[in-house]
Amino acid sequence: MATSCNSVRPQEGRPGEPAAAPGSQPASVERSSAQSAPPASPGPPGLVLAPGAAAAGRATAEAIAASAGAFLDGLDRGARGRAQLAFESGEREDWHYVPRRRAGLALGDMGDRERGAAHALLRAGLSPDGYRKLEGVLLLEGILGGIEGSPAFRDPGRYHLAVFGEPGREAPWGFRFEGHHVSLNFTSAARAVATTPAFLGANPAEVPSGPRKGLRVLAAEEDLGRAFLASLTPAQRQRAVIAPTAPLDIVTAASRRAALASFDGLPAAEMTPAQRAALLRLLKVYARNFPDDVARAHLDRIERAGVERLHFAWAGSAAPKQSHYYRIHGPTHLIEYDNRGGDHIHTVFRDLQDDFGDSLLARHLHEGHGAGRRP
């Protein structure tokens, strides 16, 4: 089994140990010269009015507002005080996917009714496929606890739900569900919703034994990525493979803004129509973790920006059960997938214009609704 996250990241505190400082990054990432570290994220830019971003997901926006309101209304005063934070709270953008202390209300501190309402909110924000993967990640946490002999640390009850602001149709609000190998971040305003950063991981990538033997929660992400690499000609593959070894983690880590120095790898402009279609099938595995209206909005923006401008990059081994990495990088979105040791997957789906609702909130302010783009 691949090394678990906590054994390589000193900031991941066990119970009773200091929490990571806000904004801490994972241990340094191993990269070749062709895979240099991205520049530091710039300061907050001006208004970013990405076409289509601010109109995404009206049906989902209304569904999550209703579900979040029901969740909060079902909590007693103390629990609601822990679950609900100000929209302007710095916690809203302090995301990570390692085990650490978190804001919000933990699943393990909820009763059955409250936990059911929390899961209803997650189902409202995800597609059936996305929710199935989320359930699988929580299941894997318990399995990993058994493998490691640390059931108290690898506790599926240590996933936290935090609501930022007051759920509604117009004023900005959001929620985050987060724990080891999960960070789902939703921002809503003016009956639209932004849904990134969205991180899911799997350790083990394939359950080795027991009642769930053979379970692969993120199988499509792995199999379609490797199949796409195999579809390339030798010349295309030479362009696509950017390093002989995979990085230790996703390159952009838990950055507030995803920033890469360049578009590396093979551009879709140099792919055959069949290869472009296969690349889009892989990309849709990530976009379709969200309901249809949200997934369509992401895909429409990618297509408007130009599918030919997408780049596919690979690092590491092409063989199963070996460390490997890939990314799909375009003008509007970034997908990263890393599999350390061949059995420990990290994935992230990022909207380069609308993480944490940047474009959505900018438009809300631009149209005179009196809400800032960010705290």
Side-chain angles (χ1 to χ4, degrees), residues 74-95:
L75 301 177
D76 62 33
R77 187 179 209 177
R80 182 163 182 154
R82 292 162 62 191
Q84 189 172 22
L85 293 82
F87 184 75
E88 296 78 13
S89 168
E91 288 283 352
R92 189 174 73 85
E93 297 177 358
D94 180 22
W95 74 286

Side-chain angles (χ1 to χ4, degrees), residues 51-195:
R58 180 169 183 151
T60 296
E62 294 186 352
I64 62 172
S67 295
F71 168 70
L72 292 174
D73 289 346
L75 301 177
D76 62 33
R77 187 179 209 177
R80 182 163 182 154
R82 292 162 62 191
Q84 189 172 22
L85 293 82
F87 184 75
E88 296 78 13
S89 168
E91 288 283 352
R92 189 174 73 85
E93 297 177 358
D94 180 22
W95 74 286
H96 221 305
Y97 44 86
V98 300
R100 66 174 187 175
R101 289 196 293 273
R102 288 179 158 85
L105 188 63
L107 291 178
D109 292 334
M110 300 179 195
D112 290 344
R113 183 168 55 85
E114 293 84 3
R115 197 175 302 113
H119 278 275
L121 173 55
L122 294 168
R123 283 194 296 270
L126 297 169
S127 67
D129 236 17
Y131 181 72
R132 175 190 58 77
K133 292 176 189 178
L134 175 62
E135 285 190 306
V137 175
L138 270 61
L139 177 66
L140 287 179
E141 188 71 352
I143 291 171
L144 183 60
I147 292 172
E148 293 183 338
S150 56
F153 182 52
R154 301 297 187 191
D155 179 3
R158 294 182 64 195
Y159 290 78
H160 289 67
L161 179 59
V163 178
F164 300 97
E166 196 63 43
R169 294 183 174 185
E170 296 297 334
W173 74 280
F175 77 91
R176 178 180 69 211
F177 183 73
E178 192 173 83
H180 183 220
H181 281 163
V182 173
S183 186
L184 299 173
N185 298 273
F186 293 78
T187 307
S188 184
R191 303 188 184 192
V193 63
T195 57

Side-chain angles (χ1 to χ4, degrees), residues 296-358:
R296 281 197 308 271
H298 282 300
L299 296 169
D300 285 350
R301 286 177 48 230
I302 290 167
E303 290 178 4
R304 282 201 302 271
V307 171
E308 72 281 357
R309 298 173 70 189
L310 295 172
H311 287 65
F312 177 83
W314 182 279
S317 175
K321 304 295 185 181
Q322 302 296 318
S323 294
H324 58 284
Y325 165 95
Y326 69 77
R327 66 173 173 253
I328 303 172
H329 185 196
T332 62
H333 290 73
L334 170 68
I335 289 166
E336 287 193 87
Y337 163 104
D338 186 74
N339 191 329
R340 192 186 330 146
D343 199 35
H344 184 166
I345 298 173
H346 287 180
T347 72
V348 71
F349 181 54
R350 303 203 64 165
D351 188 321
L352 301 177
Q353 299 167 331
D354 211 22
D355 271 358
F356 295 105
D358 281 347

Side-chain angles (χ1 to χ4, degrees), residues 204-281:
E206 181 173 352
V207 177
S209 60
R212 298 286 184 166
K213 181 178 180 180
L215 174 66
R216 300 174 65 215
V217 172
L218 300 178
E221 288 82 348
E222 177 173 355
D223 294 347
L224 290 180
R226 186 178 289 108
F228 183 79
L229 180 71
S231 76
L232 303 180
T233 67
Q236 288 176 320
R237 189 162 174 157
Q238 188 170 14
R239 289 287 305 277
V241 177
I242 59 174
T245 59
L248 294 177
D249 199 353
I250 56 174
V251 175
T252 55
S255 57
R256 167 57 182 86
R257 287 181 180 80
L260 292 172
S262 60
F263 289 95
D264 298 324
L266 178 68
E270 297 179 17
M271 298 175 190
T272 67
Q275 288 170 335
R276 286 193 201 181
L279 184 67
L280 283 175
R281 281 196 295 275

